[in-house]
Amino acid sequence: MSRFSLTVNGQSHTVDADPDCPLLYVLRDTLALNNPRFGCGLGQCGACTVIVDHHAVRSCRIPVSSAAGRPIGTLDGLGTPEHPHPIQQAFIDEQAFQCGYCLNGWVMTAKALLDGNPHPSEEEIRRAFQGLICRCGSHVGILAAVRRASGHQA
Amino acid sequence: MAHHVTRREFVKRGGGLLVGFSLIDGSVAPRLLASTPRDSQAAEDPSAPPDSPSRLDAWLRVDPDGLVHVFTGKVEIGMGVETAFAQIIAEELDVPVSHVRFVMGDTAQTPDQGGVGGSTSVSNGAKPLRNVAASARAMLLQAAAPQLGADPAQLEVRDGIIINPAHPATRVSYGAVAGRADLHEILQVTGAGFSLNVEGAGTPKDPSTYRVVGTSVPRVDIAPKVLGTFRYVTDVRVPGMLHGRVIRPPATGAHLVRVNDEPARRIQGYVRTVVKHDFVGVLADTEWGAIKASQAVDLTWSEPAANLPSHDSLYTWMRQATPKASRQTLPHGPSTSAGAGDVESALSLASSRVEASYEFPFQSHATMGPGCAVADVREGQATIWSGAQKPHALRKGIAELIDMPIEHVRIVWVEDSGSYGRPGFEDAAADAVLLSQAAGRPVRVQWMRADMTAWGAKGPAVVCDLAAALDEHREVTAVRFTSRAFSGGEILYQPSTGDNFLAARLTGVPNTSSVDEFVSWGGQTPAYAFPNVQSIAHVVASLYDGPSPLRTSHLRDPEGPAASFAVESFIDEVAAASGVDPIALRLKWIKEPRAQAVLQAAAEKAGWQSRPSPAGHARNSAGDVLKGRGVALGTRNGTYVGTIAEVDVNRRTGALRVTRFVCAHDCGLIVNPGALTRTIQANLVQSLSRAVHEEVAFDDRTVTSVDWRTYPIARMADVPPTVDIVLINHPELPPGGAGEPSSRPTAAAIANAVFDATGVRMRRAPLTAARVKAALA
């Protein structure tokens, strides 16, 4: 066990954890930040995606020790029910999902994509999401939401 | 009717279960919080059992704020049924949709409606809800009438406010009169499970007056999910909870010989290893501790002989196996007349014949969340938090598994990822129950990816052989359909028996509750009215009779995609052999007007040019990419789907790309066109995935599809640039099912488009690039 300082959505937390413990379990079990979701534990599906240093990363694959001291963003920190982030609003407007278990990965990957490239082409959107899984097949709605969000982001 | 434990009995016997666990953040799901009014009101009533489905207030209560709390045994599995229900309740009561709250699937608080299955939630499951809401409205108006100085029949309701139209200022809210209304009204109960219905004093509205049903109300669960405030079952945590992981045998038939947990004891937080015959679970204080300990514990397994045929020989094995059960079925509908059964003579007298065989593999539910449950089994009581889609059946199954009176078992349903049948969420619940029982503490079991993809129940492999007789005018005179399939009922779709759980099998319990389910013409396929039709269905025995990763159960639209892949490809082959357009042939032989209408609507939207397949450009085209179009029809319990796929096939690589789907869909009255459209779109992508990617691989020992690399599914690159949905609304008909029907025709539509493009017929699914390339060579 070691002690780590994590900055999540601008808030500092001190946690005791095994250094090789994936960030995912610290966020979920220690900090009760539930939106990064366990899908595979193998970095193959993206349900656990968080943003570290402005990059969408798979929290099931990065040890807590390497995330310490770097800014971590989760879905909880994106917007609030009163003031949804424009990307969240676009996904709501498009009613983009079925069960929504995977949506954390899509929304956070959309955030990372549009922060770096506010007006991606169709090809760029599809490429950015090729590493994500949606078992329900909600892709048509997701594409519509990302297009909508890219139109809204100046 | 199943015996219902009264709310009071339950409180008496195990009241602590109802209130004994708080959640770490106090907000598991809005639905759980919504249970408060009923919890607080129900216990004191002296008369009828408060949770009997014959009581109106077992289904619906109105609180003083005017919020309407509805208690249903149906659950949300991601297709928007909660919103559809809210619309139906809001319509009958004239309250805003936002005033309707649900408790879903909590076995201590909801009627047993059979859970979710068969695309019946709206078609059947909403009936009692509609009737209950209509009766509640009648009771509320009756209670308000004296105060408003009018007959109940004269009163109007707007947004939950009852108004006397003769004196519009005279009004009272539902909330204010709810205390006086007789919501204990005794209802007439008919049916059980999926068909449970109740009727009371109120008459539901005439559908032609609907204002809320039929509109695209935003789904009530989408915004909380996107905003991150929604809680899934994976987020349930209870005090004193341990984390569990299960370890499955390395091969079918392998038995545990020796357990050495010495290496696990060095893992921080490790508690113990639970062993029961071949069932193994590891417990730890932390999730990471449980994962590491499960990897560290040293298990020695026996090395059994190879128990499975090789994957390559699966279909040969199925054809050679002596069927364990067979059923000859006559065709449905008008084709039962005029000489049905003379198929053999028609085939022998035919001027020409078309014969073909089609193969569809085992497929995995491979749910997005691999399966999770929390169980607390202590002091003769069991509470299980699970996202399984049939919670009341799960309650029975768990009671049987641990030999506990059912009254002492409670399932608290909390949404999991989309389940699409019986994926294994039920098995995860059983795992958690056994581990909690052994530990004497609450246990959360989270399956790892391989536990679901490799060890979850499978959709069965299906082989279909078809033969058609054509006369000298190339008209069809007879069709013979023969299926060979593993039973979708090897594991019951209702998890209501203890012996079906994987954990039970691993602890040595034999499976005695399997049923044979048959794949038949007109059952999972359209029933074309050819003059003679014979349908013969064989069920073949499981590949391995013990606890097997290839045990089979219901996967979305059980056997529909497999059987319709065969029949709808075959109809295309017949059309090609007859030199006629594939839609024209279908319109000639399918007699149901609604089936004809979806084909015509899809054709119109797609700009379908009438001509036979193949397109004929395969030989002449200079480029690598060949284009084609294909159609298929899906019929399922009164829902009709016509799907057209347009494809690009790269003849050098075999890569197949669906460039456009057009899907015309008729499920009777449409409750929510927006949500329906999204569900059909998702159905198309998921069934495309099953058609071109999904196949459970195995060697002679076990399943080797363990993750998303070894069990690939559709990703963004597979998604067609254009997906056109044509909704056909029938307000004069009751609403039908929409969760599964549009999964049915997709595979055949794609295969038919590949034939149109290339002239090559693909008869084995999935249509992987390697398979298409080999076929084109």
Side-chain angles (χ1 to χ4, degrees), chain A residues 110-127:
Chain A
K111 173 78 165 69
L113 168 69
L114 297 180
D115 279 353
N117 178 6
H119 304 291
S121 66
E122 182 74 16
E123 200 43 49
E124 288 169 327
I125 294 174
R126 284 178 178 253
R127 210 179 313 127

Side-chain angles (χ1 to χ4, degrees), chain B residues 61-268:
Chain B
R61 292 169 179 238
V62 180
D63 73 16
D65 294 334
L67 293 181
V68 178
H69 299 272
V70 179
F71 303 83
T72 174
K74 296 289 178 186
V75 299
E76 174 66 66
I77 60 167
M79 291 170 243
V81 79
E82 184 180 5
T83 307
F85 287 172
Q87 289 176 259
I88 288 164
I89 299 283
E91 183 73 63
E92 295 299 336
L93 278 171
D94 282 313
V95 297
V97 168
S98 62
H99 286 195
V100 186
R101 306 291 162 85
F102 287 91
V103 174
M104 298 185 125
D106 179 343
T107 61
Q109 301 199 71
T110 63
D112 179 359
Q113 294 182 268
V116 167
S119 301
T120 61
S121 290
V122 170
S123 59
N124 290 347
K127 278 184 196 164
L129 302 184
R130 186 182 299 112
N131 292 337
V132 158
S135 288
R137 178 195 175 96
M139 297 292 115
L140 291 160
L141 293 189
Q142 199 168 36
Q147 178 181 349
L148 299 181
D151 277 353
Q154 296 170 322
L155 298 176
E156 292 177 2
V157 184
R158 280 179 225 142
D159 289 341
I161 308 292
I162 309 168
I163 298 163
N164 179 351
H167 306 281
T170 316
R171 51 180 63 200
V172 63
S173 72
Y174 274 160
V177 297
R180 302 202 292 278
D182 181 18
L183 297 184
H184 302 166
E185 187 205 10
I186 301 302
L187 306 166
Q188 290 290 332
V189 181
T190 54
F194 287 165
S195 60
L196 176 67
N197 196 9
V198 292
E199 288 180 279
T203 307
K205 288 183 179 174
D206 178 346
S208 68
T209 67
Y210 282 169
R211 288 177 301 171
V212 183
V213 169
T215 63
S216 296
V217 170
R219 274 178 50 179
V220 296
D221 56 330
I222 295 276
K225 286 172 174 174
V226 174
L227 293 166
T229 56
F230 192 88
R231 294 292 171 259
Y232 292 87
V233 71
T234 48
D235 308 330
V236 172
R237 301 177 183 92
V238 300
M241 180 182 90
L242 294 173
H243 289 270
R245 288 295 185 280
V246 289
I247 304 172
R248 304 305 191 199
T252 50
H255 296 296
L256 194 57
V257 175
R258 198 175 61 93
V259 179
N260 169 24
D261 78 339
E262 182 62 34
R265 284 184 221 162
R266 293 193 285 271
I267 308 290
Q268 180 98 31

Side-chain angles (χ1 to χ4, degrees), chain B residues 59 65 67 78 114 146 217 351 361 404 407 416 442 491 523 593 595 607 622 698 712 742:
Chain B
W59 296 86
D65 294 334
L67 293 181
V217 170
S351 115
M404 184 180 276
E407 301 78 24
D416 202 330
I491 304 295
F698 53 94
S742 53

